[in-house]
Amino acid sequence: QVQLVESGGGLVQPGGSLRLSCAASGRIFSINAMGWYRQAPGKQRELVAGITRGGITNYADSVKGRFTISRDNAKNTVYLQMNSLKPEDTAVYYCKAEAVYDYWGRGTQVTVSS
């Protein structure tokens, strides 16, 4: 089992920044990759950014150049630095860990509004 807890969401004005954190616990050694997903009202959940155990990253086209995924192995934590936020980034952001099974956090709300 892997447990994931997200934090760092909130309300921010357009152009602002937020950093999301995802703390993992449990069978951490079994995790092959981790990612951030988001789901806006009425829309499907979509991949925002991912990072493999080897440190290879990938991003959705809509966030390239604005968002950065990183990890701190000592803290078993993955981060998503979000800059130049836009109203269309408003969504619930979920952390996912890929192992033999996929594990999801409960999500954290990000609202970009003036």
Side-chain angles (χ1 to χ4, degrees), residues 1 40 43 55-56 59-60 81 83 86 92 99 104 108:
Q1 289 278 359
K43 294 187 177 182
I56 297 173
Y59 297 90
Q81 178 67 44
N83 299 327
K86 304 175 181 179
V92 178
W104 292 88
T108 184

Side-chain angles (χ1 to χ4, degrees), residues 14-15 38-41 43 46 48 62-63 66-67 84-93 110-113:
R38 67 186 180 188
Q39 188 166 20
K43 294 187 177 182
E46 62 176 359
V48 176
S62 60
V63 307
R66 299 188 298 124
F67 291 10
S84 301
L85 282 161
K86 304 175 181 179
E88 50 263 44
D89 295 317
T90 295
V92 178
Y93 283 70
V110 172
T111 302
V112 184
S113 175

Side-chain angles (χ1 to χ4, degrees), residues 3-10 17-25 34-37 49 51 67-72 75-82 92-97 104-110:
Q3 294 78 42
L4 303 172
V5 178
E6 303 102 333
S7 61
S17 298
L18 281 176
R19 188 177 80 156
L20 305 183
S21 300
C22 173
S25 60
M34 294 188 70
W36 285 97
Y37 288 71
I51 185 166
F67 291 10
T68 303
I69 189 170
S70 62
R71 66 184 187 190
D72 185 333
K75 296 182 178 180
N76 298 320
T77 300
V78 173
Y79 303 97
L80 184 68
Q81 178 67 44
M82 306 185 294
V92 178
Y93 283 70
Y94 298 90
C95 180
K96 176 186 174 183
W104 292 88
R106 291 190 172 184
T108 184
Q109 176 70 46
V110 172

